[in-house]
Amino acid sequence: MGIPPEREDVKQQVLYLSQITMKSHLLESPISKCPLYLACHHLKTERIQRDWERQGDAGSEGQKLTVCPIINGEDHLRLLNFQHNFITRIQNISNLQKLISLDLYDNQIEEISGLSTLRCLRVLLLGKNRIKKISNLENLKSLDVLDLHGNQITKIENINHLCELRVLNLARNFLSHVDNLNGLDSLTELNLRHNQITFVRDVDNLPCLQHLFLSFNNISSFDSVSCLADSSSLSDITFDGNPIAQESWYKHTVLQNMMQLRQLDMKRITEEERRMASVLAKKEEEKKRESHKQSLLKEKKRLTINNVARQWDLQQQRVANIATNEDRKDSDSAQDPCQIDGSTLSAFPEETGPLDSGLNNALQGLSVIDTYLVEVDGDTLSLYGSGALESLDRNWSVQTAGMITTVSFTFIEFDEIVHVLPKLKIKFPNSLHLKFKETNLVMLQQFNALAQLRRVDQLTIDPQGNPVVNFTLWKYYVLFRLSHFSMQKINGTEVTQNDMIMAERLFGILAHVASSELPQYRLISILGDARKKQFRYLLESKGKKPGIINEENNDSKRLVGENTNRATLNYTTRDFYNEKLEEIKEKKKFCKTYIEDLVKEATEINMKNEALQKLWPQMFIELVRDAVIEIRNKNSYMKLCLQQITDQK
Amino acid sequence: MLSPERLALPDYEYLAQRHVLTYMEDAVCQLLENREDISQYGIARFFTEYFNSVCQGTHILFREFSFVQATPHNRVSFLRAFWRCFRTVGKNGDLLTMKEYHCLLQLLCPDFPLELTQKAARIVLMDDAMDCLMSFSDFLFAFQIQFYYSEFLDSVAAIYEDLLSGKNPNTVIVPTSSSGQHRQRPALGEAGMLEGVEASLFYQCLENLCDRHKYSCPPPALVKEALSNVQRLTFYGFLMALSKHHGINQALGALPDKGDLMHDPAMDEELERLVVRSKLHRTSRQHRAKEPGAFGFQRREKQEALERVSSASVPTPYHYRWEPRE
């Protein structure tokens, strides 16, 4: 131990002391290495100690001290040892003002008190007592070692003045967090094992701290001990027994954040480990960034869809209000729109789920939340909101467009979708599955509009927002009208031969009537309309190739050939229909006046005819009479005729 | 044809009674609209076709509501077309809601107003539980009365309400369109102990109404018959009686008797032909898609279909066409 041989008395005392320290559990604390402790002098402790030991050897507990004995005449005492007793209060030692070391390990002390005169005290051992609070240490400014392990302390306090303290042992207490450590400018070792610590603060205020033991606590994330990264003096740390040590990212996160460490969990850190740590940490960072981006995107998508949904609801309510106003007192029909609104609104409650604060801040950067959303996910193209329909005009790469087999429409009026179906047909030729949700499909007639597509294999009409699904016959009508598609599935269920036959049975006559009983000119005009529209669209679309036009021709020819009998069942959207009716009004007015004129003429002629019929006999008689009267006198008549002839010349 | 009454009427009245002008105007309008297409095959042929279709009752197909409603003949034709096209739905036994029937109506006339369908449904359901299901025949007959006699019914509603509230029925009543029927419900509540009005008094007012106004009304004699065995009646009870009365149905001439409602052998035959064709079409499509065992399947189908058709066709002139060709 490096003591010069001349100092035999010191050696004896040191030996004795070291035996004592071996006996106690103080191996946990490196107090044995404290040089000052070894070098202190003591006189006459032996006597006291011996007295005590004799009492202890008797073996019965009744012979242990319950109070601090009054010690007279020992004012130069430096070391005092009261281990393994039943002392409940520290008292009767105020006169030992030269005391350097006080050992009260393993007693029943409930409160630190009675130490105010021990200004020279350097070592205070109060382990394994019942102390609930650190207090009354104000005057112990020279304190070098403070051992409070095995007590009931819940809070670190009242030690900020101990600027010479080098070792602080608070193991096996009830601490839940670590802070209030400022002022401990000499602290090199801090033992906090076996507590309930969840977070650590202020450690970066300890300029000399080298060893920090946090084993067997409740630390679960590195953020709760983030101050450790800022402590440049730390070289040795233990986290074993904490939840954080079970994490997959534990080791490399600690190593990455605390480059100054030399030892972790009592094991030296190798260069290899450090390298691995930085590599792994980089990968973690990448992954986190990616997932952060993903969650941002997802959040944005969710907000957009919510926004679209809200706009849709408002629009529906507005329409419903107009309808109810026009409908006057009919309470039945007034209820229905409200009910529909009620159900759609309840399906979209204001979702205020927990958002990461980081995400929230990032999103507030987005100044405008879109009113529509277009999403391509492998083979599905999803459109939310009517603004999304314009995206069909974009230049889609042939590859992307070719991969799309499913197109889904949500929160868009079906009538608006009808107008873009030709575009859909051309730009996404492989789209075989159509899905409609919240698109206001209310009439069977609307399905007629789907006939213009090239081919549909599957159709999904979500009951939400599509009242037509409530009708018993809707599936059969779809199968009937779109029989040329030979659909495989409707709303997920396979279409059987029986379904097709039933559809044909139910509506076949309609088709027959629609084709064979319409006069020729109407057939031509209805079919002609459809074909005219197609041509018009083709002429308008950019980048038309003659090949496409021929294809269109063939398509329509094929369609017409297969299904003339139902090709006349068309759907014109309400707006178009009303427009057409408006246009016809002018013509109707003209026709009315024209016919009226004709009728007037006809009736005039008729009247004249009837009048003539009535008057004719009379007129005839008069004509005959006049002629006879004229001819009665032959001579004068002959003269008259000659006169007339000469006059004519 | 050349009846003396016809010649006795002055020109305009005659034309108006037969609605000749309506058809002439409509014909010319159609001509104007489809000028390019029609000019290809001649105006004379167009007029022939047009008036042929008017006679056959197919002119109202897929036309706007204002035209469908314009003349009694149009209304009858529409009713008949609706019956022919959707008789199969009724035959299938499905009970449908008012909205579904309205959908079917809209297939034939895109802007058919919901109000009329609702009124028709009210007759069937006796103004109760508007979401109830209705059978095809019930709905059709009620709809016939409502649609064909809609103006008449509006006036009747006004009269009924006046009678309920105790006003003098012989004062001049001006029908105030749809509001009359809407005011029904509170009035019914106030009717007190006895429901409805006295039948004979009611009938007197109706007779006056029929005499006074020019729009079509059911023949008064038949109405009297319908009211003969009741002391008191409610508005919807009266309408229900009208709709169920065979005589009125026959007088209208649009629909067959209730018993024969599902029978239309000519159409059934046509339907079978279509079903067969669709089955062949589907199997041939499957064959095109290269499904295994197509040939045998196909031929069997044809045979089956032919056999089925020949058994289904009740003696009709076309029976012999369906003998399988050896």
Side-chain angles (χ1 to χ4, degrees):
Chain A
M1 275 195 231
I3 300 172
E6 315 87 70
R7 301 298 317 267
E8 190 56 24
D9 54 336
V10 178
K11 192 167 164 199
Q12 284 289 344
Q13 283 135 26
V14 164
L15 274 169
Y16 176 68
L17 279 171
S18 55
Q19 277 169 14
I20 295 177
T21 54
M22 293 299 187
K23 252 195 250 177
S24 75
H25 71 295
L26 282 170
L27 271 168
E28 264 190 39
S29 153
I31 210 165
S32 47
K33 303 193 194 101
C34 171
L36 195 55
Y37 185 74
L38 296 171
C40 66
H41 298 279
H42 69 120
L43 306 165
K44 293 181 189 176
T45 317
E46 272 195 51
R47 190 163 7 111
I48 295 171
Q49 202 60 35
R50 233 179 275 129
D51 285 344
W52 181 82
E53 276 205 73
R54 224 185 284 132
Q55 283 174 19
D57 281 346
S60 71
E61 294 210 338
Q63 287 169 339
K64 289 201 184 163
L65 294 171
T66 51
V67 274
C68 294
I70 300 174
I71 304 168
N72 284 320
E74 300 281 5
D75 292 346
H76 292 287
L77 201 59
R78 305 274 181 152
L79 253 147
L80 188 48
N81 186 333
F82 282 133
Q83 288 184 30
H84 305 296
N85 282 292
F86 285 168
I87 297 170
T88 52
R89 274 190 70 200
I90 310 172
Q91 30 178 211
N92 304 324
I93 53 170
S94 6
N95 49 324
L96 306 171
Q97 287 181 13
K98 292 267 176 72
L99 209 58
I100 288 182
S101 163
L102 176 58
D103 186 347
L104 286 161
Y105 168 72
D106 190 15
N107 277 284
Q108 292 172 359
I109 297 168
E110 289 173 6
E111 192 195 348
I112 306 175
S113 57
L115 303 173
S116 40
T117 51
L118 309 175
R119 286 174 213 279
C120 300
L121 200 65
R122 308 252 185 132
V123 176
L124 178 56
L125 309 178
L126 286 168
K128 208 164 172 192
N129 277 285
R130 297 181 190 174
I131 298 168
K132 295 189 173 53
K133 186 169 169 210
I134 310 175
S135 55
N136 296 327
L137 298 172
E138 285 84 45
N139 292 341
L140 307 178
K141 291 212 170 63
S142 317
L143 208 57
D144 186 57
V145 173
L146 177 56
D147 181 4
L148 288 166
H149 79 275
N151 279 290
Q152 297 164 7
I153 296 167
T154 55
K155 195 169 166 204
I156 302 176
E157 53 188 342
N158 299 325
I159 53 171
N160 307 88
H161 56 283
L162 303 173
C163 35
E164 306 222 358
L165 193 68
R166 282 181 322 113
V167 175
L168 176 57
N169 184 352
L170 287 166
R172 291 189 195 273
N173 274 287
F174 296 161
L175 294 171
S176 57
H177 58 272
V178 176
D179 55 6
N180 212 356
L181 290 173
N182 42 309
L184 300 173
D185 296 333
S186 313
L187 198 67
T188 52
E189 178 175 324
L190 180 54
N191 184 349
L192 295 166
R193 292 188 173 92
H194 293 281
N195 275 287
Q196 297 151 9
I197 293 168
T198 50
F199 68 86
V200 174
R201 275 208 282 260
D202 279 354
V203 171
D204 41 342
N205 291 331
L206 301 172
C208 301
L209 189 67
Q210 291 168 27
H211 309 274
L212 178 57
F213 305 111
L214 287 166
S215 316
F216 300 99
N217 275 291
N218 218 351
I219 296 168
S220 46
S221 81
F222 197 78
D223 288 330
S224 38
V225 299
S226 54
C227 63
L228 299 179
D230 298 327
S231 164
S232 45
S233 50
L234 259 182
S235 63
D236 175 12
I237 201 167
T238 64
F239 279 117
D240 53 300
N242 280 286
I244 197 179
Q246 306 300 319
E247 301 279 357
S248 55
W249 41 260
Y250 162 61
K251 196 157 182 195
H252 62 82
T253 311
V254 171
L255 290 182
Q256 192 64 6
N257 284 300
M258 301 184 62
M259 300 293 278
Q260 70 278 40
L261 270 187
R262 281 200 220 114
Q263 194 167 274
L264 175 64
D265 291 337
M266 298 316 220
K267 283 179 275 192
R268 267 205 59 209
I269 300 169
T270 61
E271 271 313 305
E272 180 62 32
E273 282 177 323
R274 256 191 246 276
R275 219 176 34 78
M276 276 303 293
S278 75
V279 164
L280 282 167
K282 235 177 263 172
K283 256 192 237 165
E284 278 283 327
E285 188 63 39
E286 270 302 313
K287 226 192 290 173
K288 221 197 276 179
R289 229 179 294 150
E290 257 314 301
S291 74
H292 185 85
K293 224 195 311 179
Q294 287 298 333
S295 47
L296 255 180
L297 264 170
K298 225 189 264 177
E299 190 54 33
K300 181 168 180 207
K301 215 186 287 179
R302 189 184 70 88
L303 282 174
T304 311
I305 292 180
N306 269 3
N307 196 23
V308 176
R310 223 173 308 145
Q311 290 207 334
W312 174 260
D313 286 342
L314 281 172
Q315 196 185 355
Q316 297 306 303
Q317 261 185 325
R318 232 181 291 140
V319 168
N321 282 338
I322 294 173
T324 52
N325 284 339
E326 284 176 355
D327 218 16
R328 269 178 269 161
K329 298 140 202 167
D330 210 332
S331 58
D332 288 89
S333 63
Q335 259 180 28
D336 276 311
C338 291
Q339 276 174 4
I340 293 174
D341 280 343
S343 66
T344 50
L345 278 177
S346 66
F348 295 99
E350 284 299 327
E351 290 181 39
T352 49
L355 274 178
D356 255 350
S357 59
L359 269 176
N360 224 342
N361 292 333
L363 284 168
Q364 274 160 14
L366 298 165
S367 48
V368 173
I369 294 183
D370 294 325
T371 54
Y372 66 87
L373 179 66
V374 179
E375 191 187 344
V376 178
D377 189 8
D379 63 354
T380 307
L381 170 67
S382 307
L383 303 167
Y384 298 87
S386 52
L389 294 176
E390 292 164 356
S391 70
L392 291 173
D393 286 328
R394 279 191 222 158
N395 284 326
W396 295 88
S397 77
V398 179
Q399 201 193 21
T400 331
M403 279 216 312
I404 305 279
T405 58
T406 307
V407 183
S408 143
F409 300 92
T410 320
F411 301 122
I412 313 175
E413 287 276 357
F414 187 79
D415 286 359
E416 291 178 33
I417 300 175
V418 166
H419 296 317
V420 301
L421 284 177
K423 278 188 223 170
L424 190 72
K425 187 171 160 184
I426 290 186
K427 293 245 173 159
F428 297 99
N430 292 333
S431 53
L432 296 174
H433 181 185
L434 294 182
K435 295 168 89 164
F436 297 92
K437 182 172 169 177
E438 291 281 356
T439 53
N440 242 351
L441 270 168
V442 290
M443 302 192 283
L444 291 175
Q445 237 194 338
Q446 287 173 307
F447 289 117
N448 292 347
L450 295 177
Q452 60 184 293
L453 293 171
R454 187 171 292 140
R455 177 134 180 210
V456 175
D457 258 351
Q458 263 195 67
L459 192 60
T460 306
I461 314 282
D462 196 306
Q464 194 171 6
N466 291 318
V468 85
V469 176
N470 295 330
F471 295 163
T472 335
L473 301 175
W474 78 273
K475 277 193 195 171
Y476 293 121
Y477 186 76
V478 170
L479 287 174
F480 154 74
R481 183 64 185 86
L482 305 176
S483 60
H484 56 290
F485 288 158
S486 295
M487 278 207 271
Q488 306 288 332
K489 276 196 191 177
I490 294 187
N491 274 17
T493 41
E494 291 264 343
V495 169
T496 64
Q497 176 84 326
N498 286 335
D499 289 334
M500 294 294 292
I501 293 181
M502 182 54 123
E504 201 62 38
R505 268 194 204 290
L506 282 173
F507 296 107
I509 295 185
L510 175 65
H512 173 78
V513 164
S515 59
S516 60
E517 301 200 352
L518 273 182
Q520 189 71 7
Y521 73 91
R522 296 238 18 235
L523 266 179
I524 292 183
S525 73
I526 293 178
L527 288 178
D529 254 347
R531 247 182 266 144
K532 269 187 223 154
K533 268 196 224 149
Q534 280 180 355
F535 268 116
R536 216 179 296 142
Y537 170 66
L538 283 173
L539 289 173
E540 284 170 8
S541 70
K542 311 177 208 164
K544 60 171 172 68
K545 290 185 237 167
I548 297 178
I549 297 184
N550 286 337
E551 217 179 78
E552 281 306 308
N553 254 339
N554 291 337
D555 258 339
S556 56
K557 268 196 215 133
R558 206 191 317 140
L559 273 178
V560 171
E562 281 178 4
N563 286 298
T564 347
N565 72 345
R566 52 207 75 175
T568 50
L569 296 172
N570 282 338
Y571 175 63
T572 9
T573 59
R574 181 129 295 177
D575 301 330
F576 270 29
Y577 194 76
N578 291 338
E579 249 180 59
K580 223 170 64 172
L581 288 181
E582 280 295 319
E583 284 172 12
I584 296 178
K585 266 196 197 150
E586 275 297 317
K587 292 198 183 112
K588 278 202 177 145
K589 233 188 286 177
F590 166 74
C591 291
K592 200 173 171 85
T593 47
Y594 178 68
I595 298 286
E596 269 174 16
D597 290 340
L598 279 180
V599 168
K600 232 185 278 175
E601 249 186 77
T603 49
E604 271 179 25
I605 292 173
N606 190 38
M607 244 180 4
K608 287 181 192 164
N609 200 19
E610 283 183 5
L612 182 63
Q613 297 279 8
K614 279 202 201 116
L615 293 172
W616 180 244
Q618 195 66 21
M619 281 168 64
F620 188 65
I621 291 173
E622 285 183 12
L623 274 173
V624 169
R625 193 177 343 142
D626 288 344
V628 166
I629 290 174
E630 246 183 31
I631 300 177
R632 209 200 280 165
N633 194 348
K634 275 197 198 142
N635 293 331
S636 51
Y637 185 64
M638 278 196 293
K639 279 193 195 139
L640 190 64
C641 286
L642 279 171
Q643 190 74 29
Q644 278 177 357
I645 292 170
T646 47
D647 283 343
Q648 270 176 16
K649 287 200 192 138
Chain B
M1 205 170 82
L2 282 173
S3 56
E5 319 155 343
R6 196 179 130 219
L7 295 173
L9 280 175
D11 318 327
Y12 277 108
E13 269 194 40
Y14 167 73
L15 290 175
Q17 198 189 56
R18 295 287 189 264
H19 304 277
V20 173
L21 290 183
T22 319
Y23 294 112
M24 284 303 297
E25 281 169 18
D26 187 59
V28 176
C29 202
Q30 294 266 299
L31 183 60
L32 279 180
E33 262 183 82
N34 305 300
R35 223 182 320 198
E36 311 93 25
D37 301 317
I38 295 174
S39 58
Q40 284 177 15
Y41 64 90
I43 295 183
R45 189 163 150 207
F46 161 72
F47 274 106
T48 322
E49 277 186 7
Y50 181 85
F51 284 103
N52 266 336
S53 85
V54 171
C55 285
Q56 285 169 357
T58 58
H59 58 301
I60 35 77
L61 289 172
F62 313 121
R63 294 295 305 272
E64 62 278 10
F65 178 68
S66 52
F67 180 66
V68 172
Q69 199 200 27
T71 70
H73 172 67
N74 283 7
R75 296 187 193 186
V76 166
S77 313
F78 184 74
L79 288 167
R80 197 167 176 82
F82 183 73
W83 167 68
R84 285 170 78 224
C85 288
F86 296 116
R87 174 186 57 95
T88 40
V89 171
K91 200 166 172 189
N92 200 36
D94 286 311
L95 296 175
L96 305 178
T97 61
M98 182 266 296
K99 286 222 173 94
E100 279 200 79
Y101 282 119
H102 184 67
C103 242
L104 295 179
L105 282 166
Q106 279 184 316
L107 283 174
L108 290 179
C109 174
D111 57 348
F112 201 88
L114 184 65
E115 219 186 11
L116 267 180
T117 326
Q118 276 175 340
K119 286 186 190 169
R122 263 198 223 118
I123 298 176
V124 178
L125 303 169
M126 300 297 263
D127 202 18
D128 193 24
M130 291 299 289
D131 281 335
C132 258
L133 303 170
M134 300 178 277
S135 77
F136 183 70
S137 57
D138 283 343
F139 175 74
L140 188 55
F141 285 114
F143 179 69
Q144 173 180 245
I145 297 290
Q146 176 61 54
F147 182 47
Y148 191 77
Y149 294 124
S150 26
E151 295 87 356
F152 173 71
L153 288 190
D154 286 337
S155 311
V156 171
I159 292 176
Y160 180 78
E161 203 206 309
D162 286 338
L163 282 180
L164 263 190
S165 55
K167 285 203 212 138
N168 186 354
N170 286 322
T171 56
V172 176
I173 297 161
V174 179
T176 50
S177 69
S178 54
S179 64
Q181 283 186 332
H182 282 288
R183 278 182 275 150
Q184 274 307 310
R185 249 167 273 135
L188 280 172
E190 295 159 17
M193 293 303 294
L194 290 167
E195 238 192 55
V197 299
E198 225 196 304
S200 43
L201 186 58
F202 188 58
Y203 177 66
Q204 267 176 23
C205 308
L206 287 186
E207 235 184 333
N208 290 339
L209 184 68
C210 290
D211 288 335
R212 246 178 306 156
H213 293 275
K214 58 171 165 52
Y215 44 67
S216 43
C217 350
L222 294 174
V223 175
K224 188 164 189 158
E225 219 184 288
L227 294 176
S228 56
N229 38 0
V230 285
Q231 270 295 85
R232 303 190 70 87
L233 42 73
T234 60
F235 182 65
Y236 286 108
F238 169 61
L239 293 181
M240 198 53 177
L242 277 185
S243 74
K244 292 212 157 107
H245 196 275
H246 291 311
I248 295 181
N249 182 32
Q250 277 171 355
L252 262 177
L255 305 171
D257 282 336
K258 183 158 183 180
D260 296 329
L261 196 62
M262 301 303 175
H263 289 172
D264 188 359
M267 271 310 177
D268 277 339
E269 229 183 74
E270 199 56 52
L271 185 61
E272 285 302 327
R273 246 177 273 161
L274 283 170
V275 171
V276 166
R277 205 194 309 163
S278 83
K279 264 203 270 181
L280 290 178
H281 172 70
R282 189 168 167 88
T283 54
S284 69
R285 266 200 101 101
Q286 284 173 350
H287 176 60
R288 239 186 278 152
K290 295 204 189 80
E291 277 203 348
F295 267 115
F297 179 56
Q298 197 175 358
R299 205 168 316 141
R300 226 182 300 127
E301 270 296 311
K302 239 186 201 146
Q303 278 290 9
E304 263 182 33
L306 287 172
E307 280 164 19
R308 191 145 16 117
V309 166
S310 49
S311 66
S313 56
V314 173
T316 65
Y318 306 104
H319 177 68
Y320 294 98
R321 214 196 280 179
W322 289 106
E323 301 280 35
R325 276 184 240 115
E326 300 299 299

